[in-house]
Amino acid sequence: MAPPIARRSRPPPSLPQRARQPSRGGAGRWVPREVAAAGRPLRRGRAAERGAGRRGGARNTMAAATAAAAPGRGRRGAPMYSQKELTSKKRDEFEDILEERRLSSDLRYAMKCYTPVIYKGLSPCKPNAIKSAVLQSEQVQYVIKQLAKEMGESPDIIQEEAMEILDEMGHNMQLGAVRFFAFTLSKIFKQLFQRVCVNEEGMQRLQHAIQEHPVVLLPSHRSYIDFLMLSYLLYTYDLALPVIAAGIDFLGMKIVGELLRRAGAFFMRRSFGGNRLYWAVFAEYVKTMLRNGYAPVEFFLEGTRSRTAKTLTPKFGLLSIVMEPFFKREVFDTYLVPISISYERILEESLYAYELLGVPKPKESTSGLLKARRILSDNFGTIHIYIGQPVSLRTLASGRINRCPYNLVPRHLPQKPSEDIQEFVSDVAYKMELLQIENMVLSPWVLVAAVLLQNLPAMDFELLIEKTLWLKGLTQTFGGFIEWPDNLCAKKAIMSGLTLHSNIARLVDGHVVLNDKGVEDGGVGEVVFKHALAILTCATYRNQLLNVFVRPSLVAIALQMTRSFRKEEVYNYFSFLRDVFSDEFIFFPGISLKDFEEGCFLLTKCDAIQTNQQEIYPTNKGGVIVSFLSAMFTPFVEGYQLIFRYLSKEAKEAFTEKQFIPGVRNFVFQLLEKGNTQCYEALSSDMQKNALAALVLLGAVKKEKMSNGFTYNVNQEAVNKILDMFDARIPVQKPVAARL
Amino acid sequence: MLFLQLLRFVFVGLVLVLAVFFTVHNVFSIQMSEGALSSEFIMGLQSHLYVFLPLRQELLKWNGWGYNDSKFIFNKKGQAEFTGKRYRLGGMVLPTFKEWMEKTFGASLDHKTTSRATLNVNDVPPSIVKEEFLQDLRAAKISYSQDAEDRVFRAHGHCLHEIFILREGMFKRVPDIVVWPVCHEDVVKIVELACKHNLCIIPFGGGTSVSSALECPEEEKRTIVSLDTSQMNRILWIDEKNLTACVEAGIVGQDLENQLAESGFCTGHEPDSMEFSSLGGWVATRASGMKKTIYGNIEDMVIHIKMVTPRGIVEKNCQVPRMSTGPDIHHFIMGSEGTLGVVTEVTIKIRPVPEYQKYGSVVFPNFERGVACLREVAKQRCAPASIRLVDNAQFQFGKYVDLLRQISLSKGFNLLLFKGFDPNILCVATLLFEGDREKVLQHEKQVYDIATKFGGLAAGEDNGQRGYMLTFVIAYLRDLGLDYYVIGESFETSVPWDRVLDLCRNVKERIVRECKEKGVQFAPLSTCRVTQTYDAGACVYFYFAFNYRGISDPIHVYEQIERAAREEILANGGSLSHHHGVGKLRKRWMKESISDVGLGMLRSVKEYVDPNNIFGNKNLL
């Protein structure tokens, strides 16, 4: 084996002239992108050689898999976005960054010469300079004066308050801390993970983007590892480290909070809607860093870690803050970079299951972290990080934004975004999440989990293999991004999945069973709980498939439920399901028909159905697919029905979410104990909240803001009607159908 | 009317009168006498000229900007040279200019395009005029011409696409006839005849429009009459007590100033096109002059306007500084761009010729500081007669055409280097002070003191003066560029102070981006200057040019980029136009600019004043 080439031994960066000063209108021929790239190679070139030499066709399989998946993709997203990245469906190849860590000194790596490429318009400044710029900014000063006037207090006092907020919030990025993390994380990651794979082409695109315009990194959020990993990655590739919006909870952790702060985290309170000063300071802080090009800004669209591994519906607050400088033309453009981080095994998997069942999440604390160190001895498989194509906000906004509102008011005045801006922000948020989903890597185990959950309590191993392989084909047809280790036969791949996830399932006498330890002993309640725990943990993996499958599956369910072949009826039911599940899965707003067409298209592609102008009908062999797809979503259909039933029968006049969750949990729990239902997933607080939100959206539950938070009022009749529609006892009527 | 700023032509009509005004110390030393001489030949063949008319096109380029004898050329040694004696730059050799062309545009002397040498008369659409109208004209003793060259000359302004068509193609529609009224009454007769015969009138003054305002609507089926005001060029009276002068609207800016100067007065209105543009055109387009800080824009200078419309004559009953009689009807006229009628006489404010003029210049470490300084100057309301800030690209250009050579040679410049000014970032402000000597010096000190606070260093009088000269010569550059595959244009906007920097940066970047996307092979020249300051904002001027080799339809590409740049301006809170006007080029954004109701208001005025659309140039609305 050839000695590895040290990743860092490349010559000092020599950026092409143009990359640094492109706006100066001046001289000469364009420097094409490729050339600019060559000016500062990522380590791609060498690594590729190395890879080709040693691991042969490692990448080819992936490429083939991607290519096979290609035709079905890219139909998503609203038609107004004719984005280039949607048409270029070929996915990049991955490179393992841990490999080199295992071969060379971590200390030297941590102490390497770190000279990241930076934004061309950057005027360098220290974290403290940013803080004082924020404090002195017209925006913040305006709010301070307003508040002083309203509250009759001296502006100085409020200014001090603002300063305190800033101190609590502000990051304090220091190279020392970064190096400390580089060292310790190297050690930890090598312990925890087999491989950390990243698409280097994505890194390269990111490198360009960072120089060109302010960049916003939008990773998916499944684990606390996410942002550590991302910063680690950018450090490895000599890119500017991001500043990261983190929950204030981290500050509760002694030392660690401060360390994170020094590594570039800044902290936001969980809710500050009512606090104008906080909002002003926070928004200005983020915008100042962005405008200045100080560092890429990173935050999680989902707002929190998804406990179910299913993408959460996006939060819009931070996104609209980072988009504002562009709306006001304080920057020429802003790049939004969707990043998909997929875990073969999620670090927090069992914690999540407990949380979903109502066991509270442990507070972030340093001692907790130390206690958790036992997981270091565990194996968490591979992480895949896919850096998506940077999306130009300017391109997205072109032709969509009415510029008037921003031209008629001084830009430093706080301004409530207009409706079309809000709609635009929401569209962008969904688009970004769909891009994340598109590039999420699915491991074989995800397929196994999906098959297994339909065949409980035990499944023949051979059959499991067969079904898994079948599902693999289907997933690829639907555009799923499967990582099937090269030249690994199905049996081995599944066996290695079982080994990695031995806490979830195991092989007993040629049968695979869920690993619900302790079910045998204990009371009925205990048994239900333990079983639910096992199922929810397992479901976390199946869930990773759902957003890829949701469109064809809802069509399949609609076909089954309506027992009709009339396209219009099927579509109406589909559209109803889409509305009901709008918080459960990610749908681009307002394109129900397009989603339906995509679902039908994918089903046609796998020969499950045939369609003509007016009709849809399953093919002979399509029955298998249709029933598999609908079974995949049955937990949700049944779960929602249970929850709705609870609301229609048991719910009190007015209740809060805090009352609702335990109420519905007990309700479902009792049904499970009595054996009246098998729908364990209805115990998930995530599903319960989503179902409630859906009813609010459908107008069957009224949500009102009270002094102590939100209260809910159920309109029993409306809920019953929805239940009836669910059972297809009454048809769903929708005027949109005329367009079919 | 219509025609304004920036561009070329016209040299001046003088009817019998005069020839002797150019005595006055005029920076550009343009010689009026040539016009008088050449006019002797004129007597057009097909034309019916009742008076001894000079045809302006004799002195002016038929397919480019300005005087025939003034242009940039590359001499046998391959060095650039500016010909003619009209400008101070005349006869000067610019050794490094070629390098600038090559470096900036990737242009090469080996790749040349040539314009057709003369107008091909056969290509010109035929003149279709009813005999009855001609008879009526003759009866009214109004000069006219159906000569092809005369008509083509008045079929365009100076937009890039218009010049391109002149060089390589032909307009689809040109005026059918040119008429030369010599006084207000003639105009009244012409408009009456037009109503009688249902014709379309397009007023023509200096022909310097850059908004497609002079282009004839292709679909116009009626006879198009080009009403050339150039023979209405007398100063009717000067009122020294009230400091006003009543002037016929066809007078060209330079003549107006020269003639007033004989009596010791000036208007102080100096748009960059003042050698060629006319008073009526200024009024019709809401023009702005470089010394507006002292003298105001056209709307501040005008006391009384007489306009002939199809409904009759519109004017006020007195010549007063201000009146409260409902919305000011002058504001329907100013900016009407020839859609309502013909401005025939204007009473305009005059001032004594200033005792003392002094140029100046300041170098700033970067554009941001420069803008901050201009803002402060505006805030303290101490802006000199003119203050302009050019960005680094224009500074570089100045260096290469040797206009700012002194900056690089002078002690000052070495000092700049010493002080850490980066020649690739720094920018320059040019200044012009006017007034009595003592006050000018005091004023100068005040401004330089402010500049110092923003890191500015005084860079000498000479450089200031050269900077202003550049303004007049730069228009000639486009013709040179056109010979070597380089096309370009300028455009302007006004913008609030707090958005100046963002707008400049974004528009320049947008141009660069669009060029790249549209397949332009070399990075374009994309540069700007802040040319006017106001209390609440500034006027920004952009120059933009690129090498179009390898592009099959350069004009289309160019227009797409220009449109994108305008979109960018609007998105950045800039206006549709500060002083060029709307014409047909920027009509598409009118609704967005002034709202539906606003547009309706203008329409209803048009409907009342000109129900049969006699003034059918289709501008503005």
Side-chain angles (χ1 to χ4, degrees):
Chain A
M1 188 156 72
I5 302 157
R7 190 170 294 163
R8 294 298 106 192
S9 64
R10 68 168 117 81
S14 60
L15 280 179
Q17 186 78 8
R18 196 160 177 86
R20 284 232 194 251
Q21 347 177 300
S23 65
R24 230 166 262 146
R29 211 171 249 282
W30 300 107
V31 180
R33 284 209 146 200
E34 298 71 39
V35 179
R40 179 162 186 169
L42 236 27
R43 65 179 232 283
R44 174 88 203 144
R46 275 187 297 258
E49 276 167 42
R50 198 173 33 149
R54 284 191 291 132
R55 284 206 307 274
R59 262 172 294 277
N60 299 343
T61 326
M62 181 65 66
T66 329
R73 342 213 65 266
R75 291 169 39 91
R76 238 168 255 149
M80 53 269 209
Y81 302 133
S82 57
Q83 280 285 310
K84 275 183 209 149
E85 77 267 22
L86 275 187
T87 51
S88 64
K89 291 154 201 157
K90 195 174 165 297
R91 291 192 182 100
D92 307 334
E93 291 147 19
F94 284 108
E95 194 65 36
D96 178 15
I97 61 163
L98 280 192
E99 190 181 326
E100 193 170 298
R101 285 296 85 247
R102 297 193 202 278
L103 295 167
S104 66
S105 153
D106 287 334
L107 192 60
R108 200 188 309 146
Y109 162 78
M111 299 316 290
K112 72 172 182 166
C113 166
Y114 171 67
T115 49
V117 296
I118 49 170
Y119 173 52
K120 67 182 182 205
L122 173 72
S123 31
C125 62
K126 293 253 181 299
N128 275 330
I130 292 213
K131 282 194 211 167
S132 56
V134 170
L135 202 59
Q136 295 313 319
S137 69
E138 283 175 310
Q139 286 81 341
V140 170
Q141 286 297 324
Y142 176 84
V143 173
I144 287 177
K145 274 183 209 137
Q146 285 278 309
L147 288 174
K149 218 187 283 172
E150 279 168 34
M151 309 183 343
E153 273 199 73
S154 135
D156 294 347
I157 296 178
I158 298 175
Q159 169 121 351
E160 216 140 278
E161 221 176 291
M163 193 66 223
E164 278 163 26
I165 293 174
L166 265 175
D167 282 337
E168 171 195 280
M169 177 161 59
H171 73 84
N172 185 16
M173 204 193 284
Q174 288 176 355
L175 202 52
V178 171
R179 293 193 192 285
F180 169 79
F181 271 108
F183 181 76
T184 44
L185 289 182
S186 293
K187 298 283 179 215
I188 293 174
F189 289 161
K190 280 189 282 187
Q191 277 295 317
L192 287 176
F193 304 111
Q194 285 167 341
R195 295 189 301 155
V196 173
C197 295
V198 59
N199 64 328
E200 292 204 329
E201 280 159 63
M203 293 307 289
Q204 205 145 348
R205 289 191 295 255
L206 183 60
Q207 187 193 39
H208 288 300
I210 286 176
Q211 292 167 58
E212 242 183 300
H213 298 299
V215 164
V216 178
L217 304 178
L218 301 170
S220 58
H221 204 9
R222 301 285 172 271
S223 165
Y224 283 143
I225 297 293
D226 291 327
F227 61 89
L228 295 174
M229 181 53 85
L230 205 51
S231 292
Y232 181 80
L233 194 64
L234 294 185
Y235 176 79
T236 306
Y237 280 93
D238 235 6
L239 297 183
L241 290 183
V243 289
I244 307 146
I248 199 102
D249 329 331
F250 283 106
L251 268 190
M253 302 169 82
K254 286 178 201 114
I255 308 169
V256 176
E258 272 319 300
L259 255 175
L260 287 176
R261 197 194 281 282
R262 289 183 187 199
F266 63 97
F267 299 94
M268 59 189 291
R269 296 182 190 162
R270 282 280 167 206
S271 66
F272 48 87
N275 188 337
R276 276 154 66 198
L277 185 65
Y278 191 88
W279 175 259
V281 172
F282 179 77
E284 191 51 30
Y285 185 66
V286 175
K287 285 188 277 186
T288 303
M289 290 190 291
L290 196 78
R291 274 195 293 255
N292 185 293
Y294 177 79
V297 173
E298 173 184 329
F299 66 90
F300 300 101
L301 274 174
E302 296 166 87
T304 181
R305 294 169 300 159
S306 166
R307 268 64 167 174
T308 58
K310 218 156 31 64
T311 302
L312 302 175
T313 50
K315 304 274 180 292
F316 307 123
L318 248 169
L319 187 64
S320 67
I321 289 177
V322 298
M323 283 160 82
E324 208 181 280
F326 169 73
F327 291 149
K328 295 185 170 173
R329 293 304 192 273
E330 292 161 337
V331 295
F332 183 77
D333 198 353
T334 303
Y335 277 129
L336 307 176
V337 186
I339 298 174
S340 320
I341 307 178
S342 334
Y343 295 86
E344 198 175 355
R345 184 178 166 207
I346 298 165
L347 221 56
E348 294 100 323
E349 58 180 3
S350 58
L351 277 182
Y352 287 164
Y354 277 103
E355 260 185 67
L356 289 174
L357 289 172
V359 181
K361 120 174 158 177
K363 208 161 172 284
E364 284 83 353
S365 72
T366 307
S367 59
L369 186 72
L370 290 174
K371 276 181 209 143
R373 72 182 181 277
R374 65 181 162 75
I375 62 166
L376 281 179
S377 55
D378 222 338
N379 178 4
F380 289 88
T382 302
I383 301 182
H384 285 95
I385 303 165
Y386 195 98
I387 314 278
Q389 176 83 34
V391 179
S392 148
L393 182 54
R394 175 173 273 270
T395 312
L396 290 178
S398 101
R400 274 208 58 174
I401 303 298
N402 174 7
R403 39 212 173 201
C404 240
Y406 292 100
N407 285 349
L408 291 179
V409 179
R411 292 185 292 182
H412 68 271
L413 297 192
Q415 203 180 342
K416 194 169 183 293
S418 65
E419 254 168 51
D420 62 328
I421 293 284
Q422 286 180 26
E423 192 188 301
F424 176 67
V425 171
S426 146
D427 283 1
V428 171
Y430 276 99
K431 185 183 167 63
M432 289 300 132
E433 287 203 343
L434 286 169
L435 287 172
Q436 283 174 3
I437 290 167
E438 188 170 301
N439 292 321
M440 281 289 199
V441 170
L442 306 167
S443 65
W445 173 251
V446 166
L447 307 175
V448 172
V451 172
L452 194 57
L453 279 174
Q454 287 193 28
N455 293 279
L456 290 178
M459 189 176 187
D460 178 66
F461 186 56
E462 294 303 324
L463 188 62
L464 177 67
I465 294 173
E466 187 191 314
K467 276 296 223 178
T468 304
L469 274 176
W470 172 82
L471 183 56
K472 178 187 170 199
L474 192 63
T475 309
Q476 285 170 341
T477 313
F478 289 174
F481 189 0
I482 298 183
E483 203 247 19
W484 197 275
D486 191 34
N487 51 37
L488 203 55
C489 73
K491 190 171 174 183
K492 273 191 189 146
I494 294 169
M495 274 312 288
S496 93
L498 274 172
T499 321
L500 191 66
H501 297 279
S502 55
N503 58 328
I504 297 178
R506 64 202 146 108
L507 195 55
V508 182
D509 306 330
H511 281 72
V512 178
V513 294
L514 272 196
N515 204 354
D516 40 4
K517 270 177 264 157
V519 167
E520 296 79 14
D521 38 84
V524 194
E526 185 91 343
V527 171
V528 170
F529 185 84
K530 285 276 162 63
H531 198 61
L533 210 54
I535 286 189
L536 285 182
T537 315
C538 190
T540 311
Y541 293 92
R542 174 212 59 200
N543 284 349
Q544 297 177 26
L545 276 184
L546 295 182
N547 273 307
V548 176
F549 276 68
V550 68
R551 288 159 194 80
S553 296
L554 293 194
V555 173
I557 296 173
L559 265 175
Q560 284 193 332
M561 294 301 288
T562 53
R563 292 168 208 283
S564 159
F565 299 135
R566 285 190 51 229
K567 217 176 194 177
E568 191 184 314
E569 253 175 82
V570 177
Y571 170 67
N572 284 346
Y573 195 81
F574 170 89
S575 187
F576 164 75
L577 286 178
R578 190 181 177 276
D579 289 345
V580 169
F581 290 134
S582 61
D583 274 35
E584 196 71 49
F585 308 108
I586 304 302
F587 298 104
F588 193 91
I591 54 161
S592 186
L593 186 58
K594 212 167 164 275
D595 280 342
F596 178 68
E597 279 167 358
E598 180 176 328
C600 291
F601 169 77
L602 293 176
L603 286 179
T604 318
K605 211 170 113 190
C606 62
D607 289 331
I609 59 165
Q610 284 182 319
T611 63
N612 58 28
Q613 287 297 72
Q614 281 90 35
E615 292 186 319
I616 294 183
Y617 40 92
T619 57
N620 290 338
K621 62 172 208 168
V624 186
I625 294 177
V626 168
S627 54
F628 179 86
L629 292 181
S630 79
M632 191 179 214
F633 284 77
T634 301
F636 294 91
V637 175
E638 283 180 8
Y640 269 55
Q641 283 174 321
L642 284 180
I643 297 162
F644 290 174
R645 209 176 302 151
Y646 164 77
L647 281 170
S648 103
K649 298 210 175 100
E650 314 257 326
K652 289 183 294 177
E653 286 279 292
F655 56 91
T656 63
E657 194 181 275
K658 274 201 182 119
Q659 296 165 318
F660 164 71
I661 300 284
V664 69
R665 189 188 299 128
N666 285 336
F667 175 77
V668 176
F669 211 90
Q670 281 166 15
L671 289 179
L672 284 167
E673 275 180 337
K674 290 185 203 136
N676 289 349
T677 178
Q678 285 301 310
C679 185
Y680 284 86
E681 291 187 48
L683 284 173
S684 156
S685 59
D686 183 65
M687 185 187 289
Q688 293 155 3
K689 286 178 201 167
N690 289 339
L692 184 61
L695 287 184
V696 173
L697 217 66
L698 292 169
V701 169
K702 259 231 284 291
K703 184 177 178 182
E704 275 173 78
K705 195 174 165 106
M706 297 300 204
S707 55
N708 56 343
F710 291 104
T711 60
Y712 298 84
N713 280 295
V714 180
N715 175 346
Q716 252 92 6
E717 207 177 310
V719 175
N720 284 333
K721 202 172 153 208
I722 290 173
L723 270 171
D724 285 346
M725 287 199 250
F726 237 135
D727 297 336
R729 278 197 294 268
I730 57 171
V732 183
Q733 293 276 317
K734 279 230 163 174
V736 215
R739 280 167 40 211
L740 270 174
Chain B
M1 348 197 26
L2 341 172
F3 355 77
L4 24 149
Q5 298 6 30
L6 230 211
L7 318 198
R8 340 22 228 270
F9 314 141
V10 175
F11 111 91
V12 169
L14 337 164
V15 187
L16 309 157
V17 220
L18 41 121
V20 210
F21 313 130
F22 54 98
T23 42
V24 195
H25 58 301
N26 164 341
V27 217
F28 320 105
S29 65
I30 292 165
Q31 316 220 332
M32 315 284 302
S33 54
E34 289 177 27
L37 286 176
S38 59
S39 59
E40 285 170 22
F41 304 106
I42 302 186
M43 307 300 285
L45 293 176
Q46 305 175 17
S47 313
H48 291 258
L49 303 177
Y50 290 86
V51 273
F52 187 54
L53 290 183
L55 287 185
R56 62 182 74 182
Q57 60 258 49
E58 290 299 312
L59 264 192
L60 301 175
K61 290 195 193 76
W62 71 277
N63 63 351
W65 175 257
Y67 301 104
N68 264 328
D69 55 8
S70 303
K71 61 184 170 210
F72 284 98
I73 55 158
F74 283 108
N75 63 22
K76 283 176 196 138
K77 287 188 209 152
Q79 293 178 327
E81 212 180 303
F82 193 71
T83 64
K85 297 198 182 90
R86 293 174 190 276
Y87 300 91
R88 228 175 77 175
L89 197 63
M92 251 169 84
V93 175
L94 313 168
T96 53
F97 184 75
K98 184 177 147 211
E99 188 193 329
W100 180 79
M101 284 273 287
E102 288 166 352
K103 213 178 114 182
T104 310
F105 299 111
S108 152
L109 297 196
D110 303 334
H111 302 290
K112 216 179 155 187
T113 65
T114 36
S115 161
R116 70 159 62 90
T118 54
L119 180 69
N120 186 350
V121 178
N122 297 330
D123 291 347
V124 180
S127 158
I128 299 170
V129 187
K130 273 189 279 178
E131 186 49 36
E132 295 86 347
F133 176 59
L134 295 179
Q135 279 168 9
D136 284 346
L137 276 181
R138 285 193 288 265
K141 293 201 167 17
I142 289 165
S143 310
Y144 66 86
S145 163
Q146 288 172 271
D147 174 77
E149 280 183 35
D150 290 343
R151 293 187 292 119
V152 169
F153 191 85
R154 287 158 187 80
H156 65 88
H158 280 266
C159 290
L160 175 73
H161 67 269
E162 294 170 318
I163 299 303
F164 216 79
I165 287 176
L166 282 173
R167 289 168 62 98
E168 300 191 357
M170 179 41 65
F171 299 106
K172 294 214 175 89
R173 188 78 169 90
V174 303
D176 295 294
I177 181 170
V178 182
V179 299
W180 281 277
V182 296
C183 61
H184 171 76
E185 286 69 29
D186 279 0
V187 175
V188 174
K189 282 184 224 161
I190 293 168
V191 173
E192 273 169 10
L193 288 178
C195 292
K196 178 178 157 197
H197 295 283
N198 190 25
L199 312 176
C200 168
I201 298 180
I202 299 185
F204 182 89
T208 57
S209 156
V210 281
S211 59
S212 296
L214 286 171
E215 262 177 76
C216 299
E218 267 175 47
E219 65 285 0
E220 180 60 68
K221 296 279 184 292
R222 299 173 294 180
T223 295
I224 296 181
V225 180
S226 176
L227 191 154
D228 186 324
T229 60
S230 62
Q231 307 312 308
M232 308 198 303
N233 56 4
R234 292 164 300 174
I235 296 178
L236 298 177
W237 44 255
I238 293 176
D239 177 351
E240 301 196 7
K241 291 199 188 71
N242 293 309
L243 286 178
T244 55
C246 184
V247 188
E248 287 186 317
I251 194 164
V252 168
Q254 189 160 262
D255 298 345
L256 177 61
E257 291 303 84
N258 289 343
Q259 292 177 36
L260 284 174
E262 292 191 332
S263 319
F265 294 105
C266 67
T267 63
H269 187 72
E270 292 184 14
D272 293 356
S273 62
M274 72 173 294
E275 300 161 89
F276 311 110
S277 57
S278 69
L279 173 59
W282 300 341
V283 171
T285 54
R286 293 181 70 84
S288 169
M290 119 188 157
K291 298 196 288 198
K292 75 97 198 147
T293 320
I294 296 183
Y295 301 97
N297 290 318
I298 195 73
E299 67 271 20
D300 308 310
M301 310 174 98
V302 160
I303 295 292
H304 184 266
I305 302 173
K306 201 190 260 186
M307 177 163 80
V308 181
T309 76
R311 274 275 168 200
I313 294 158
V314 54
E315 61 179 329
K316 292 181 184 174
N317 72 328
C318 51
Q319 314 235 10
V320 294
R322 180 175 196 274
M323 55 205 275
S324 176
T325 45
D328 190 340
I329 55 161
H330 282 173
H331 285 286
F332 290 129
I333 299 170
M334 287 186 289
S336 60
E337 306 194 354
T339 58
L340 299 178
V342 188
V343 176
T344 54
E345 290 169 16
V346 179
T347 304
I348 192 166
K349 290 195 232 172
I350 55 172
R351 300 286 305 163
V353 172
E355 170 195 322
Y356 187 64
Q357 268 199 341
K358 192 170 182 191
Y359 289 95
S361 62
V362 181
V363 179
F364 290 100
N366 56 43
F367 194 65
E368 288 75 14
R369 302 301 300 274
V371 171
C373 174
L374 260 62
R375 203 284 161 265
E376 183 62 25
V377 166
K379 200 183 210 168
Q380 297 192 21
R381 290 202 172 164
C382 63
S386 169
I387 180 166
R388 284 177 176 175
L389 180 76
V390 304
D391 70 359
N392 186 265
Q394 275 180 63
F395 161 74
Q396 301 284 353
F397 167 74
K399 246 174 39 184
Y400 278 104
V401 293
D402 281 19
L403 286 170
L404 297 174
R405 181 171 43 177
Q406 294 301 321
I407 290 193
S408 35
L409 296 180
S410 67
K411 274 189 302 189
F413 192 66
N414 294 332
L415 188 65
L416 292 185
L417 291 179
F418 180 70
K419 290 215 167 182
F421 279 60
D422 180 344
N424 292 316
I425 297 178
L426 64 80
C427 72
V428 184
T430 56
L431 311 166
L432 171 62
F433 298 92
E434 249 184 43
D436 58 70
R437 192 159 189 283
E438 216 167 284
K439 277 193 189 142
V440 162
L441 296 178
Q442 213 182 323
H443 192 176
E444 190 186 19
K445 184 174 180 306
Q446 188 185 5
V447 172
Y448 281 108
D449 283 350
I450 295 173
T452 312
K453 283 191 201 130
F454 291 89
L457 278 181
E461 265 184 84
D462 241 28
N463 290 318
Q465 190 170 358
R466 285 155 195 269
Y468 284 101
M469 181 159 80
L470 191 71
T471 308
F472 290 89
V473 198
I474 211 166
Y476 286 92
L477 259 186
R478 187 168 73 189
D479 296 326
L480 181 72
L482 277 167
D483 286 342
Y484 296 95
Y485 289 94
V486 175
I487 52 179
E489 184 77 284
S490 61
F491 51 92
E492 41 73 46
T493 187
S494 49
V495 58
W497 276 115
D498 70 312
R499 298 176 195 247
V500 169
L501 283 176
D502 288 333
L503 180 132
C504 290
R505 183 198 57 230
N506 291 343
V507 172
K508 287 198 276 187
E509 169 112 28
R510 179 77 182 263
I511 290 170
V512 173
R513 286 269 198 121
E514 293 284 332
C515 283
K516 205 171 188 174
E517 275 170 29
K518 302 279 180 314
V520 175
Q521 308 267 313
F522 292 87
L525 174 71
S526 169
T527 159
C528 71
R529 64 169 196 239
V530 179
T531 63
Q532 295 283 17
T533 63
Y534 293 86
D535 287 351
C539 167
V540 180
Y541 217 96
F542 292 91
Y543 290 102
F544 141 56
F546 63 88
N547 180 337
Y548 69 84
R549 287 194 63 216
I551 296 180
S552 57
D553 190 355
I555 293 302
H556 181 65
V557 167
Y558 162 78
E559 281 171 349
Q560 284 180 315
I561 297 170
E562 189 191 28
R563 191 188 308 175
R566 183 58 61 179
E567 289 282 348
E568 192 61 36
I569 286 176
L570 296 174
N572 279 273
S575 64
L576 188 51
S577 172
H578 171 264
H579 59 270
H580 281 177
V582 175
K584 290 181 269 292
L585 194 60
R586 288 176 273 273
K587 256 165 92 167
R588 75 177 80 234
W589 294 288
M590 268 302 271
K591 195 167 111 178
E592 177 184 346
S593 290
I594 62 170
S595 82
D596 266 344
V597 178
L599 205 57
M601 289 161 102
L602 296 186
R603 285 212 176 101
S604 63
V605 170
K606 165 80 179 170
E607 265 156 41
Y608 173 76
V609 173
D610 183 17
N612 297 318
N613 197 28
I614 298 299
F615 289 89
N617 61 14
K618 295 253 172 100
N619 289 340
L620 203 60
L621 300 175

